Amino acid sequence: MWQPDCMVVHLPDPDSARGWCAEQRAAGRSIGFVPTMGGLHEGHLSLVRRAVAENEITCVSIFVNPLQFNDPGDLASYPRNLDDDIRQLQDIGCDMVFTGTFEQFFLDVESPEDIVQRDPGPGADGVEGAGRPGHFAGVATICERLFKVVGSARTYFGEKDFQQTLVVKDLARALGYPEIVVCPTVREPSGLAYSSRNVLLTDSERERAACISRALFSARHAWHQGECEAGKLREVMLRELDVDGIDVEYAELRDPHDWRPEAPAGSLVRAQALIAARIGKARLIDNLRLDRGA
Ligand code: PAF
């Protein structure tokens, strides 16, 4: 029986990755794919572990996509540590990691201004999409390129980026592939969701940032107590978020199926609670489905 090598292969350009994946598929091996921007943490590693468990071959992309950053400071401070990322991937049985330059991903254009970005679809409306214009178009544009490199594969995304999962599901529907697998958010013991941006927090900011997940779980608790008015649930979240140094960008409720914004007095049937807040140098997002789970 074919056995994967224990060394992770690093392919430094998308073209060789495309060839490698095509060979794997021609040999009849199932491929699991985890697209990332590096700065790997437990959240990413949980996606990779799941891909390793469910597929014969697992590959990961690491590419900090400038098209999805609308804030140059955020792009500049985004953590980059390729050697460390590769070592972590090797330890958990990833088979191949590919990287590439902007020019290699966009061989067909002369300059970034010539890129025709994909319409990210209705999932990009509001919430993150409202505060970060162009972000989801940038995500959809690079994901199309990444999906075309890897081809048909189970492709894993974290629920922490809930709105992103709506956008990539739409994209996969339009392209006819890949299969999108959405995996649960992984949290630190304090409840803080793992994020590449957590490294930007000081110890005291990290402690205070735990109020974001507390707000979400309090809203879920209120829901289970029978509260289904969007305005009231929002108040529950804002009370928990009233912490020194936490600058709330939004605390919203949406129907996770049709992505409809809820009128404050409206009663919800299903609810996804979503928060973005700035603390120190970091902008953090998190979300929770209220009508599901314990
Ligand atoms: O979630 C991310 O890390 C990025 O948005 C992704 C999907 C790798 C596209 O750049």
Side-chain angles (χ1 to χ4, degrees):
M1 197 180 116
W2 175 81
Q3 290 286 321
D5 287 340
C6 51
M7 290 296 289
V8 63
V9 178
H10 174 205
L11 300 175
D13 66 281
D15 228 28
S16 1
R18 188 176 296 108
W20 192 92
C21 290
E23 274 174 31
Q24 301 303 328
R25 227 182 336 273
R29 296 175 194 131
S30 60
I31 303 180
F33 173 42
V34 183
T36 82
M37 298 202 295
L40 300 186
H41 51 66
E42 266 311 308
H44 296 114
L45 299 182
S46 73
L47 303 180
V48 178
R49 286 194 195 97
R50 173 128 173 223
V52 168
E54 294 180 350
N55 302 279
E56 286 166 284
I57 282 288
T58 294
C59 66
V60 169
S61 62
I62 297 181
F63 176 63
V64 183
N65 168 33
L67 297 178
Q68 69 188 77
F69 287 82
N70 53 321
D71 171 358
D74 191 22
L75 174 60
S77 66
Y78 198 85
R80 294 163 171 87
N81 194 343
L82 186 59
D83 289 345
D84 197 42
D85 287 346
I86 293 181
R87 190 187 48 70
Q88 297 194 73
L89 291 172
Q90 158 111 8
D91 288 350
I92 59 171
C94 171
D95 301 286
M96 186 270 272
V97 48
F98 69 97
T99 51
T101 61
F102 187 82
E103 289 71 22
Q104 287 168 335
F105 277 104
F106 294 94
L107 277 177
D108 49 329
V109 295
E110 301 236 311
S111 80
E113 295 77 58
D114 298 338
I115 295 170
V116 179
Q117 297 209 38
R118 269 200 83 96
D119 177 347
D125 290 348
V127 196
E128 273 299 280
R132 301 182 69 189
H135 168 68
F136 287 117
V139 169
T141 303
I142 192 63
C143 282
E144 178 177 15
R145 302 275 162 150
L146 294 168
F147 294 171
K148 285 186 171 161
V149 168
V150 175
S152 166
R154 280 198 197 98
T155 304
Y156 296 79
F157 289 88
E159 194 172 33
K160 179 181 155 283
D161 297 305
F162 182 79
Q163 217 175 338
Q164 172 167 277
T165 67
L166 302 179
V167 169
V168 295
K169 278 183 195 163
D170 255 7
L171 172 63
R173 252 190 305 272
L175 297 175
Y177 71 98
E179 177 188 338
I180 304 290
V181 184
V182 178
C183 305
T185 302
V186 184
R187 300 180 180 282
E188 296 187 1
S190 70
L192 179 66
Y194 280 101
S195 159
S196 305
R197 292 177 175 88
N198 290 358
V199 298
L200 303 173
L201 300 170
T202 63
D203 287 349
S204 119
E205 286 167 351
R206 206 181 188 97
E207 251 170 55
R208 278 176 287 147
C211 72
I212 298 173
S213 60
R214 264 202 315 277
L216 294 168
F217 283 95
S218 297
R220 181 189 269 179
H221 179 72
W223 177 278
H224 286 296
Q225 300 296 305
E227 184 56 79
C228 55
E229 275 216 16
K232 297 262 175 54
L233 291 164
R234 187 162 185 273
E235 275 170 28
V236 169
M237 293 200 282
L238 291 177
R239 264 200 302 276
E240 290 285 358
L241 291 165
D242 187 13
V243 168
D244 232 22
I246 301 277
D247 187 5
V248 180
E249 245 175 54
Y250 60 74
E252 271 205 39
L253 292 131
R254 288 249 169 167
D255 183 308
H257 287 183
D258 63 13
W259 202 234
R260 206 160 27 92
E262 290 301 326
S267 285
L268 301 157
V269 199
R270 295 172 293 262
Q272 196 82 26
L274 305 108
I275 294 175
R278 287 183 187 276
I279 171 159
K281 294 198 181 76
R283 179 182 183 278
L284 303 177
I285 60 169
D286 198 355
N287 70 87
L288 192 71
R289 180 81 179 258
L290 303 188
D291 54 308
R292 221 174 43 187

